PDB file of all heavy atoms in Angstrom:
ATOM      1  N   ASN P 960      59.443  68.798  42.253  1.00  0.00           N
ATOM      2  CA  ASN P 960      59.676  67.931  41.086  1.00  0.00           C
ATOM      3  C   ASN P 960      60.927  67.095  41.280  1.00  0.00           C
ATOM      4  O   ASN P 960      61.886  67.532  41.929  1.00  0.00           O
ATOM      5  CB  ASN P 960      59.802  68.779  39.815  1.00  0.00           C
ATOM      6  CG  ASN P 960      58.554  69.598  39.549  1.00  0.00           C
ATOM      7  OD1 ASN P 960      57.443  69.091  39.623  1.00  0.00           O
ATOM      8  ND2 ASN P 960      58.741  70.892  39.274  1.00  0.00           N
ATOM      9  N   GLN P 961      60.936  65.923  40.676  1.00  0.00           N
ATOM     10  CA  GLN P 961      62.078  65.025  40.831  1.00  0.00           C
ATOM     11  C   GLN P 961      63.264  65.499  40.000  1.00  0.00           C
ATOM     12  O   GLN P 961      63.127  65.790  38.811  1.00  0.00           O
ATOM     13  CB  GLN P 961      61.689  63.611  40.388  1.00  0.00           C
ATOM     14  CG  GLN P 961      60.590  62.986  41.239  1.00  0.00           C
ATOM     15  CD  GLN P 961      60.189  61.605  40.762  1.00  0.00           C
ATOM     16  OE1 GLN P 961      60.879  61.010  39.933  1.00  0.00           O
ATOM     17  NE2 GLN P 961      59.091  61.085  41.281  1.00  0.00           N
ATOM     18  N   LYS P 962      64.435  65.572  40.653  1.00  0.00           N
ATOM     19  CA  LYS P 962      65.684  65.878  39.961  1.00  0.00           C
ATOM     20  C   LYS P 962      66.324  64.558  39.515  1.00  0.00           C
ATOM     21  O   LYS P 962      65.833  63.473  39.846  1.00  0.00           O
ATOM     22  CB  LYS P 962      66.627  66.654  40.886  1.00  0.00           C
ATOM     23  CG  LYS P 962      66.078  67.997  41.364  1.00  0.00           C
ATOM     24  CD  LYS P 962      67.098  68.798  42.158  1.00  0.00           C
ATOM     25  CE  LYS P 962      67.377  68.199  43.510  1.00  0.00           C
ATOM     26  NZ  LYS P 962      68.182  69.085  44.394  1.00  0.00           N
ATOM     27  N   ASP P 963      67.413  64.675  38.784  1.00  0.00           N
ATOM     28  CA  ASP P 963      68.117  63.462  38.333  1.00  0.00           C
ATOM     29  C   ASP P 963      68.594  62.624  39.522  1.00  0.00           C
ATOM     30  O   ASP P 963      68.747  61.406  39.411  1.00  0.00           O
ATOM     31  CB  ASP P 963      69.320  63.841  37.460  1.00  0.00           C
ATOM     32  CG  ASP P 963      68.891  64.453  36.134  1.00  0.00           C
ATOM     33  OD1 ASP P 963      67.721  64.246  35.754  1.00  0.00           O
ATOM     34  OD2 ASP P 963      69.706  65.137  35.495  1.00  0.00           O
ATOM     35  N   SER P 964      68.818  63.288  40.627  1.00  0.00           N
ATOM     36  CA  SER P 964      69.344  62.599  41.819  1.00  0.00           C
ATOM     37  C   SER P 964      68.239  62.017  42.703  1.00  0.00           C
ATOM     38  O   SER P 964      68.507  61.559  43.815  1.00  0.00           O
ATOM     39  CB  SER P 964      70.164  63.593  42.654  1.00  0.00           C
ATOM     40  OG  SER P 964      69.363  64.716  43.027  1.00  0.00           O
ATOM     41  N   PHE P 965      67.000  62.025  42.232  1.00  0.00           N
ATOM     42  CA  PHE P 965      65.857  61.629  43.066  1.00  0.00           C
ATOM     43  C   PHE P 965      65.994  60.191  43.577  1.00  0.00           C
ATOM     44  O   PHE P 965      66.304  59.272  42.826  1.00  0.00           O
ATOM     45  CB  PHE P 965      64.553  61.759  42.280  1.00  0.00           C
ATOM     46  CG  PHE P 965      63.346  61.284  43.042  1.00  0.00           C
ATOM     47  CD1 PHE P 965      62.820  62.047  44.068  1.00  0.00           C
ATOM     48  CD2 PHE P 965      62.746  60.062  42.742  1.00  0.00           C
ATOM     49  CE1 PHE P 965      61.717  61.607  44.786  1.00  0.00           C
ATOM     50  CE2 PHE P 965      61.636  59.620  43.451  1.00  0.00           C
ATOM     51  CZ  PHE P 965      61.120  60.404  44.474  1.00  0.00           C
ATOM     52  N   VAL P 966      65.740  60.049  44.874  1.00  0.00           N
ATOM     53  CA  VAL P 966      65.671  58.728  45.513  1.00  0.00           C
ATOM     54  C   VAL P 966      64.425  58.725  46.383  1.00  0.00           C
ATOM     55  O   VAL P 966      64.299  59.561  47.291  1.00  0.00           O
ATOM     56  CB  VAL P 966      66.915  58.440  46.378  1.00  0.00           C
ATOM     57  CG1 VAL P 966      66.772  57.069  47.054  1.00  0.00           C
ATOM     58  CG2 VAL P 966      68.192  58.516  45.570  1.00  0.00           C
ATOM     59  N   PRO P 967      63.482  57.820  46.130  1.00  0.00           N
ATOM     60  CA  PRO P 967      62.254  57.823  46.933  1.00  0.00           C
ATOM     61  C   PRO P 967      62.519  57.352  48.360  1.00  0.00           C
ATOM     62  O   PRO P 967      63.422  56.562  48.619  1.00  0.00           O
ATOM     63  CB  PRO P 967      61.342  56.841  46.188  1.00  0.00           C
ATOM     64  CG  PRO P 967      62.277  55.943  45.449  1.00  0.00           C
ATOM     65  CD  PRO P 967      63.475  56.768  45.090  1.00  0.00           C
ATOM     66  N   GLY P 968      61.721  57.880  49.290  1.00  0.00           N
ATOM     67  CA  GLY P 968      61.807  57.428  50.665  1.00  0.00           C
ATOM     68  C   GLY P 968      61.392  55.965  50.799  1.00  0.00           C
ATOM     69  O   GLY P 968      60.749  55.397  49.921  1.00  0.00           O
ATOM     70  N   MET P 969      61.762  55.379  51.920  1.00  0.00           N
ATOM     71  CA  MET P 969      61.477  53.963  52.176  1.00  0.00           C
ATOM     72  C   MET P 969      60.364  53.823  53.194  1.00  0.00           C
ATOM     73  O   MET P 969      60.218  54.657  54.097  1.00  0.00           O
ATOM     74  CB  MET P 969      62.727  53.258  52.718  1.00  0.00           C
ATOM     75  CG  MET P 969      63.882  53.149  51.753  1.00  0.00           C
ATOM     76  SD  MET P 969      65.347  52.521  52.604  1.00  0.00           S
ATOM     77  CE  MET P 969      64.732  50.972  53.266  1.00  0.00           C
ATOM     78  N   GLU P 970      59.602  52.755  53.045  1.00  0.00           N
ATOM     79  CA  GLU P 970      58.643  52.386  54.074  1.00  0.00           C
ATOM     80  C   GLU P 970      59.358  51.528  55.120  1.00  0.00           C
ATOM     81  O   GLU P 970      59.953  50.510  54.786  1.00  0.00           O
ATOM     82  CB  GLU P 970      57.477  51.582  53.475  1.00  0.00           C
ATOM     83  CG  GLU P 970      56.543  52.388  52.595  1.00  0.00           C
ATOM     84  CD  GLU P 970      55.355  51.560  52.135  1.00  0.00           C
ATOM     85  OE1 GLU P 970      55.341  50.343  52.405  1.00  0.00           O
ATOM     86  OE2 GLU P 970      54.449  52.132  51.506  1.00  0.00           O
ATOM     87  N   LEU P 971      59.307  51.977  56.352  1.00  0.00           N
ATOM     88  CA  LEU P 971      59.835  51.174  57.449  1.00  0.00           C
ATOM     89  C   LEU P 971      58.633  50.771  58.294  1.00  0.00           C
ATOM     90  O   LEU P 971      58.046  51.588  59.008  1.00  0.00           O
ATOM     91  CB  LEU P 971      60.841  51.989  58.282  1.00  0.00           C
ATOM     92  CG  LEU P 971      62.069  52.514  57.528  1.00  0.00           C
ATOM     93  CD1 LEU P 971      62.981  53.275  58.472  1.00  0.00           C
ATOM     94  CD2 LEU P 971      62.836  51.376  56.866  1.00  0.00           C
ATOM     95  N   ARG P 972      58.236  49.542  58.145  1.00  0.00           N
ATOM     96  CA  ARG P 972      57.033  49.042  58.824  1.00  0.00           C
ATOM     97  C   ARG P 972      57.421  48.269  60.080  1.00  0.00           C
ATOM     98  O   ARG P 972      58.481  47.627  60.131  1.00  0.00           O
ATOM     99  CB  ARG P 972      56.222  48.166  57.881  1.00  0.00           C
ATOM    100  CG  ARG P 972      55.621  48.954  56.711  1.00  0.00           C
ATOM    101  CD  ARG P 972      54.785  48.105  55.792  1.00  0.00           C
ATOM    102  NE  ARG P 972      54.070  48.947  54.819  1.00  0.00           N
ATOM    103  CZ  ARG P 972      52.841  49.427  55.003  1.00  0.00           C
ATOM    104  NH1 ARG P 972      52.183  49.141  56.128  1.00  0.00           N
ATOM    105  NH2 ARG P 972      52.271  50.181  54.092  1.00  0.00           N
ATOM    106  N   ALA P 973      56.550  48.361  61.084  1.00  0.00           N
ATOM    107  CA  ALA P 973      56.876  47.716  62.360  1.00  0.00           C
ATOM    108  C   ALA P 973      55.610  47.286  63.083  1.00  0.00           C
ATOM    109  O   ALA P 973      54.526  47.820  62.843  1.00  0.00           O
ATOM    110  CB  ALA P 973      57.651  48.701  63.242  1.00  0.00           C
ATOM    111  N   LYS P 974      55.789  46.304  63.947  1.00  0.00           N
ATOM    112  CA  LYS P 974      54.669  45.923  64.810  1.00  0.00           C
ATOM    113  C   LYS P 974      54.329  47.075  65.756  1.00  0.00           C
ATOM    114  O   LYS P 974      53.165  47.374  66.011  1.00  0.00           O
ATOM    115  CB  LYS P 974      55.027  44.659  65.589  1.00  0.00           C
ATOM    116  CG  LYS P 974      55.196  43.431  64.692  1.00  0.00           C
ATOM    117  CD  LYS P 974      55.719  42.227  65.474  1.00  0.00           C
ATOM    118  CE  LYS P 974      55.944  41.036  64.544  1.00  0.00           C
ATOM    119  NZ  LYS P 974      56.603  39.906  65.235  1.00  0.00           N
ATOM    120  N   TYR P 975      55.388  47.747  66.234  1.00  0.00           N
ATOM    121  CA  TYR P 975      55.201  48.937  67.066  1.00  0.00           C
ATOM    122  C   TYR P 975      56.231  50.002  66.684  1.00  0.00           C
ATOM    123  O   TYR P 975      57.386  49.686  66.396  1.00  0.00           O
ATOM    124  CB  TYR P 975      55.295  48.596  68.563  1.00  0.00           C
ATOM    125  CG  TYR P 975      54.078  47.838  69.024  1.00  0.00           C
ATOM    126  CD1 TYR P 975      54.119  46.458  69.199  1.00  0.00           C
ATOM    127  CD2 TYR P 975      52.865  48.506  69.236  1.00  0.00           C
ATOM    128  CE1 TYR P 975      52.978  45.746  69.569  1.00  0.00           C
ATOM    129  CE2 TYR P 975      51.732  47.802  69.606  1.00  0.00           C
ATOM    130  CZ  TYR P 975      51.790  46.443  69.770  1.00  0.00           C
ATOM    131  OH  TYR P 975      50.649  45.755  70.109  1.00  0.00           O
ATOM    132  N   THR P 976      55.781  51.249  66.698  1.00  0.00           N
ATOM    133  CA  THR P 976      56.637  52.388  66.377  1.00  0.00           C
ATOM    134  C   THR P 976      56.706  53.292  67.596  1.00  0.00           C
ATOM    135  O   THR P 976      55.669  53.622  68.198  1.00  0.00           O
ATOM    136  CB  THR P 976      56.088  53.183  65.179  1.00  0.00           C
ATOM    137  OG1 THR P 976      55.861  52.272  64.084  1.00  0.00           O
ATOM    138  CG2 THR P 976      57.065  54.253  64.739  1.00  0.00           C
ATOM    139  N   VAL P 977      57.909  53.668  67.971  1.00  0.00           N
ATOM    140  CA  VAL P 977      58.114  54.551  69.114  1.00  0.00           C
ATOM    141  C   VAL P 977      58.589  55.904  68.595  1.00  0.00           C
ATOM    142  O   VAL P 977      59.619  55.987  67.908  1.00  0.00           O
ATOM    143  CB  VAL P 977      59.143  53.955  70.106  1.00  0.00           C
ATOM    144  CG1 VAL P 977      59.362  54.908  71.279  1.00  0.00           C
ATOM    145  CG2 VAL P 977      58.674  52.595  70.615  1.00  0.00           C
ATOM    146  N   PHE P 978      57.836  56.952  68.911  1.00  0.00           N
ATOM    147  CA  PHE P 978      58.168  58.296  68.436  1.00  0.00           C
ATOM    148  C   PHE P 978      58.923  59.038  69.540  1.00  0.00           C
ATOM    149  O   PHE P 978      58.403  59.275  70.615  1.00  0.00           O
ATOM    150  CB  PHE P 978      56.894  59.040  68.030  1.00  0.00           C
ATOM    151  CG  PHE P 978      56.261  58.456  66.793  1.00  0.00           C
ATOM    152  CD1 PHE P 978      55.353  57.402  66.893  1.00  0.00           C
ATOM    153  CD2 PHE P 978      56.605  58.916  65.535  1.00  0.00           C
ATOM    154  CE1 PHE P 978      54.793  56.842  65.758  1.00  0.00           C
ATOM    155  CE2 PHE P 978      56.049  58.359  64.391  1.00  0.00           C
ATOM    156  CZ  PHE P 978      55.139  57.315  64.502  1.00  0.00           C
ATOM    157  N   ALA P 979      60.179  59.366  69.234  1.00  0.00           N
ATOM    158  CA  ALA P 979      61.089  60.003  70.181  1.00  0.00           C
ATOM    159  C   ALA P 979      61.806  61.153  69.479  1.00  0.00           C
ATOM    160  O   ALA P 979      63.021  61.262  69.509  1.00  0.00           O
ATOM    161  CB  ALA P 979      62.100  58.967  70.695  1.00  0.00           C
ATOM    162  N   GLU P 980      61.002  62.022  68.844  1.00  0.00           N
ATOM    163  CA  GLU P 980      61.566  63.071  67.975  1.00  0.00           C
ATOM    164  C   GLU P 980      62.113  64.268  68.731  1.00  0.00           C
ATOM    165  O   GLU P 980      62.704  65.161  68.124  1.00  0.00           O
ATOM    166  CB  GLU P 980      60.482  63.595  67.028  1.00  0.00           C
ATOM    167  CG  GLU P 980      59.795  62.551  66.180  1.00  0.00           C
ATOM    168  CD  GLU P 980      58.494  63.094  65.641  1.00  0.00           C
ATOM    169  OE1 GLU P 980      57.496  63.165  66.402  1.00  0.00           O
ATOM    170  OE2 GLU P 980      58.458  63.453  64.460  1.00  0.00           O
ATOM    171  N   GLY P 981      61.882  64.368  70.026  1.00  0.00           N
ATOM    172  CA  GLY P 981      62.235  65.572  70.746  1.00  0.00           C
ATOM    173  C   GLY P 981      61.064  66.544  70.755  1.00  0.00           C
ATOM    174  O   GLY P 981      59.974  66.265  70.258  1.00  0.00           O
ATOM    175  N   CYS P 982      61.305  67.712  71.337  1.00  0.00           N
ATOM    176  CA  CYS P 982      60.253  68.696  71.534  1.00  0.00           C
ATOM    177  C   CYS P 982      59.580  69.100  70.224  1.00  0.00           C
ATOM    178  O   CYS P 982      60.253  69.401  69.241  1.00  0.00           O
ATOM    179  CB  CYS P 982      60.851  69.935  72.210  1.00  0.00           C
ATOM    180  SG  CYS P 982      59.710  71.300  72.389  1.00  0.00           S
ATOM    181  N   ARG P 983      58.249  69.101  70.231  1.00  0.00           N
ATOM    182  CA  ARG P 983      57.417  69.520  69.085  1.00  0.00           C
ATOM    183  C   ARG P 983      57.746  68.712  67.832  1.00  0.00           C
ATOM    184  O   ARG P 983      57.803  69.245  66.714  1.00  0.00           O
ATOM    185  CB  ARG P 983      57.603  71.013  68.835  1.00  0.00           C
ATOM    186  CG  ARG P 983      56.554  71.685  67.960  1.00  0.00           C
ATOM    187  CD  ARG P 983      55.212  71.865  68.602  1.00  0.00           C
ATOM    188  NE  ARG P 983      54.351  72.758  67.833  1.00  0.00           N
ATOM    189  CZ  ARG P 983      53.245  73.323  68.287  1.00  0.00           C
ATOM    190  NH1 ARG P 983      52.850  73.092  69.517  1.00  0.00           N
ATOM    191  NH2 ARG P 983      52.520  74.117  67.517  1.00  0.00           N
ATOM    192  N   GLY P 984      57.968  67.420  68.011  1.00  0.00           N
ATOM    193  CA  GLY P 984      58.162  66.568  66.842  1.00  0.00           C
ATOM    194  C   GLY P 984      56.968  66.668  65.912  1.00  0.00           C
ATOM    195  O   GLY P 984      55.816  66.634  66.371  1.00  0.00           O
ATOM    196  N   HIS P 985      57.212  66.794  64.624  1.00  0.00           N
ATOM    197  CA  HIS P 985      56.086  67.083  63.729  1.00  0.00           C
ATOM    198  C   HIS P 985      55.153  65.874  63.580  1.00  0.00           C
ATOM    199  O   HIS P 985      53.951  66.039  63.398  1.00  0.00           O
ATOM    200  CB  HIS P 985      56.568  67.617  62.378  1.00  0.00           C
ATOM    201  CG  HIS P 985      56.987  66.589  61.370  1.00  0.00           C
ATOM    202  ND1 HIS P 985      58.113  65.824  61.530  1.00  0.00           N
ATOM    203  CD2 HIS P 985      56.429  66.220  60.188  1.00  0.00           C
ATOM    204  CE1 HIS P 985      58.226  65.022  60.486  1.00  0.00           C
ATOM    205  NE2 HIS P 985      57.226  65.233  59.658  1.00  0.00           N
ATOM    206  N   LEU P 986      55.702  64.663  63.697  1.00  0.00           N
ATOM    207  CA  LEU P 986      54.837  63.484  63.661  1.00  0.00           C
ATOM    208  C   LEU P 986      54.126  63.295  65.003  1.00  0.00           C
ATOM    209  O   LEU P 986      52.953  62.916  65.046  1.00  0.00           O
ATOM    210  CB  LEU P 986      55.633  62.229  63.288  1.00  0.00           C
ATOM    211  CG  LEU P 986      56.298  62.265  61.904  1.00  0.00           C
ATOM    212  CD1 LEU P 986      57.020  60.945  61.631  1.00  0.00           C
ATOM    213  CD2 LEU P 986      55.284  62.556  60.800  1.00  0.00           C
ATOM    214  N   GLY P 987      54.829  63.572  66.076  1.00  0.00           N
ATOM    215  CA  GLY P 987      54.195  63.541  67.384  1.00  0.00           C
ATOM    216  C   GLY P 987      53.025  64.509  67.466  1.00  0.00           C
ATOM    217  O   GLY P 987      51.963  64.183  68.010  1.00  0.00           O
ATOM    218  N   LYS P 988      53.221  65.682  66.918  1.00  0.00           N
ATOM    219  CA  LYS P 988      52.143  66.692  66.876  1.00  0.00           C
ATOM    220  C   LYS P 988      50.931  66.152  66.102  1.00  0.00           C
ATOM    221  O   LYS P 988      49.783  66.302  66.533  1.00  0.00           O
ATOM    222  CB  LYS P 988      52.702  67.955  66.208  1.00  0.00           C
ATOM    223  CG  LYS P 988      51.742  69.100  66.052  1.00  0.00           C
ATOM    224  CD  LYS P 988      52.454  70.260  65.344  1.00  0.00           C
ATOM    225  CE  LYS P 988      51.490  71.305  64.837  1.00  0.00           C
ATOM    226  NZ  LYS P 988      52.184  72.353  64.039  1.00  0.00           N
ATOM    227  N   GLU P 989      51.202  65.491  64.982  1.00  0.00           N
ATOM    228  CA  GLU P 989      50.125  64.900  64.181  1.00  0.00           C
ATOM    229  C   GLU P 989      49.389  63.810  64.969  1.00  0.00           C
ATOM    230  O   GLU P 989      48.154  63.763  64.978  1.00  0.00           O
ATOM    231  CB  GLU P 989      50.705  64.316  62.896  1.00  0.00           C
ATOM    232  CG  GLU P 989      49.726  63.516  62.047  1.00  0.00           C
ATOM    233  CD  GLU P 989      50.391  62.758  60.898  1.00  0.00           C
ATOM    234  OE1 GLU P 989      51.343  63.294  60.299  1.00  0.00           O
ATOM    235  OE2 GLU P 989      49.972  61.625  60.618  1.00  0.00           O
ATOM    236  N   LEU P 990      50.150  62.955  65.644  1.00  0.00           N
ATOM    237  CA  LEU P 990      49.549  61.835  66.373  1.00  0.00           C
ATOM    238  C   LEU P 990      48.732  62.321  67.573  1.00  0.00           C
ATOM    239  O   LEU P 990      47.667  61.771  67.870  1.00  0.00           O
ATOM    240  CB  LEU P 990      50.642  60.873  66.834  1.00  0.00           C
ATOM    241  CG  LEU P 990      51.367  60.128  65.711  1.00  0.00           C
ATOM    242  CD1 LEU P 990      52.655  59.499  66.235  1.00  0.00           C
ATOM    243  CD2 LEU P 990      50.473  59.068  65.082  1.00  0.00           C
ATOM    244  N   ILE P 991      49.231  63.347  68.269  1.00  0.00           N
ATOM    245  CA  ILE P 991      48.494  63.897  69.405  1.00  0.00           C
ATOM    246  C   ILE P 991      47.129  64.400  68.933  1.00  0.00           C
ATOM    247  O   ILE P 991      46.105  64.182  69.581  1.00  0.00           O
ATOM    248  CB  ILE P 991      49.304  65.017  70.101  1.00  0.00           C
ATOM    249  CG1 ILE P 991      50.501  64.415  70.843  1.00  0.00           C
ATOM    250  CG2 ILE P 991      48.424  65.813  71.064  1.00  0.00           C
ATOM    251  CD1 ILE P 991      51.505  65.439  71.352  1.00  0.00           C
ATOM    252  N   GLY P 992      47.112  65.053  67.760  1.00  0.00           N
ATOM    253  CA  GLY P 992      45.859  65.540  67.208  1.00  0.00           C
ATOM    254  C   GLY P 992      44.961  64.421  66.719  1.00  0.00           C
ATOM    255  O   GLY P 992      43.762  64.391  67.031  1.00  0.00           O
ATOM    256  N   LYS P 993      45.540  63.472  65.986  1.00  0.00           N
ATOM    257  CA  LYS P 993      44.728  62.400  65.385  1.00  0.00           C
ATOM    258  C   LYS P 993      44.054  61.532  66.438  1.00  0.00           C
ATOM    259  O   LYS P 993      42.881  61.159  66.304  1.00  0.00           O
ATOM    260  CB  LYS P 993      45.626  61.536  64.482  1.00  0.00           C
ATOM    261  CG  LYS P 993      44.890  60.346  63.830  1.00  0.00           C
ATOM    262  CD  LYS P 993      45.829  59.547  62.930  1.00  0.00           C
ATOM    263  CE  LYS P 993      45.162  58.283  62.396  1.00  0.00           C
ATOM    264  NZ  LYS P 993      44.030  58.572  61.491  1.00  0.00           N
ATOM    265  N   PHE P 994      44.804  61.193  67.486  1.00  0.00           N
ATOM    266  CA  PHE P 994      44.270  60.289  68.501  1.00  0.00           C
ATOM    267  C   PHE P 994      43.775  61.030  69.760  1.00  0.00           C
ATOM    268  O   PHE P 994      43.484  60.392  70.763  1.00  0.00           O
ATOM    269  CB  PHE P 994      45.327  59.258  68.896  1.00  0.00           C
ATOM    270  CG  PHE P 994      45.669  58.288  67.791  1.00  0.00           C
ATOM    271  CD1 PHE P 994      46.837  58.441  67.057  1.00  0.00           C
ATOM    272  CD2 PHE P 994      44.821  57.245  67.472  1.00  0.00           C
ATOM    273  CE1 PHE P 994      47.162  57.553  66.028  1.00  0.00           C
ATOM    274  CE2 PHE P 994      45.145  56.341  66.452  1.00  0.00           C
ATOM    275  CZ  PHE P 994      46.309  56.510  65.725  1.00  0.00           C
ATOM    276  N   ALA P 995      43.710  62.380  69.677  1.00  0.00           N
ATOM    277  CA  ALA P 995      43.219  63.207  70.805  1.00  0.00           C
ATOM    278  C   ALA P 995      43.942  62.833  72.101  1.00  0.00           C
ATOM    279  O   ALA P 995      43.333  62.681  73.161  1.00  0.00           O
ATOM    280  CB  ALA P 995      41.704  63.063  70.970  1.00  0.00           C
ATOM    281  N   LEU P 996      45.264  62.683  72.014  1.00  0.00           N
ATOM    282  CA  LEU P 996      46.050  62.247  73.169  1.00  0.00           C
ATOM    283  C   LEU P 996      46.089  63.307  74.263  1.00  0.00           C
ATOM    284  O   LEU P 996      46.410  62.993  75.414  1.00  0.00           O
ATOM    285  CB  LEU P 996      47.473  61.886  72.738  1.00  0.00           C
ATOM    286  CG  LEU P 996      47.601  60.809  71.665  1.00  0.00           C
ATOM    287  CD1 LEU P 996      49.078  60.586  71.316  1.00  0.00           C
ATOM    288  CD2 LEU P 996      46.963  59.497  72.115  1.00  0.00           C
ATOM    289  N   ASP P 997      45.812  64.557  73.908  1.00  0.00           N
ATOM    290  CA  ASP P 997      45.867  65.631  74.893  1.00  0.00           C
ATOM    291  C   ASP P 997      44.480  66.024  75.411  1.00  0.00           C
ATOM    292  O   ASP P 997      44.328  67.087  76.035  1.00  0.00           O
ATOM    293  CB  ASP P 997      46.571  66.860  74.321  1.00  0.00           C
ATOM    294  CG  ASP P 997      45.909  67.369  73.043  1.00  0.00           C
ATOM    295  OD1 ASP P 997      44.997  66.701  72.531  1.00  0.00           O
ATOM    296  OD2 ASP P 997      46.331  68.438  72.562  1.00  0.00           O
ATOM    297  N   ALA P 998      43.480  65.193  75.160  1.00  0.00           N
ATOM    298  CA  ALA P 998      42.137  65.491  75.666  1.00  0.00           C
ATOM    299  C   ALA P 998      42.164  65.609  77.189  1.00  0.00           C
ATOM    300  O   ALA P 998      42.776  64.798  77.878  1.00  0.00           O
ATOM    301  CB  ALA P 998      41.169  64.386  75.239  1.00  0.00           C
ATOM    302  N   ASP P 999      41.525  66.645  77.709  1.00  0.00           N
ATOM    303  CA  ASP P 999      41.432  66.894  79.157  1.00  0.00           C
ATOM    304  C   ASP P 999      42.774  67.193  79.810  1.00  0.00           C
ATOM    305  O   ASP P 999      42.909  67.098  81.040  1.00  0.00           O
ATOM    306  CB  ASP P 999      40.766  65.702  79.876  1.00  0.00           C
ATOM    307  CG  ASP P 999      39.396  65.363  79.311  1.00  0.00           C
ATOM    308  OD1 ASP P 999      38.647  66.300  78.999  1.00  0.00           O
ATOM    309  OD2 ASP P 999      39.098  64.160  79.167  1.00  0.00           O
ATOM    310  N   LYS P1000      43.784  67.548  79.011  1.00  0.00           N
ATOM    311  CA  LYS P1000      45.093  67.923  79.557  1.00  0.00           C
ATOM    312  C   LYS P1000      45.285  69.430  79.417  1.00  0.00           C
ATOM    313  O   LYS P1000      44.686  70.075  78.545  1.00  0.00           O
ATOM    314  CB  LYS P1000      46.223  67.202  78.815  1.00  0.00           C
ATOM    315  CG  LYS P1000      46.069  65.685  78.768  1.00  0.00           C
ATOM    316  CD  LYS P1000      46.290  65.054  80.114  1.00  0.00           C
ATOM    317  CE  LYS P1000      46.254  63.529  80.040  1.00  0.00           C
ATOM    318  NZ  LYS P1000      46.499  62.902  81.339  1.00  0.00           N
ATOM    319  N   SER P1001      46.148  70.001  80.272  1.00  0.00           N
ATOM    320  CA  SER P1001      46.511  71.396  80.074  1.00  0.00           C
ATOM    321  C   SER P1001      47.305  71.516  78.781  1.00  0.00           C
ATOM    322  O   SER P1001      48.007  70.572  78.386  1.00  0.00           O
ATOM    323  CB  SER P1001      47.374  71.896  81.242  1.00  0.00           C
ATOM    324  OG  SER P1001      46.635  71.939  82.440  1.00  0.00           O
TER     325      SER P1001
END
């Protein structure tokens, strides 16, 4: 629930987005699954 101090997150839109979150980045994990980037990989 929103507290008195609530500030909504911002949309940062780009022509291209580079994900460099480090090991097991949670968005990287989502993208690997969504786009099947690890198909046929160990």
Side-chain angles (χ1 to χ4, degrees):
N960 300 313
Q961 297 178 12
K962 299 186 289 190
D963 292 341
S964 58
F965 176 74
V966 178
M969 294 172 57
E970 289 185 354
L971 300 181
R972 293 182 171 268
K974 294 173 183 173
Y975 287 101
T976 307
V977 179
F978 292 87
E980 304 162 283
C982 175
R983 196 72 168 195
H985 83 292
L986 298 182
K988 179 181 166 185
E989 173 190 322
L990 293 165
I991 289 170
K993 178 179 174 65
F994 293 103
L996 302 179
D997 57 353
D999 304 320
K1000 306 290 185 179
S1001 293

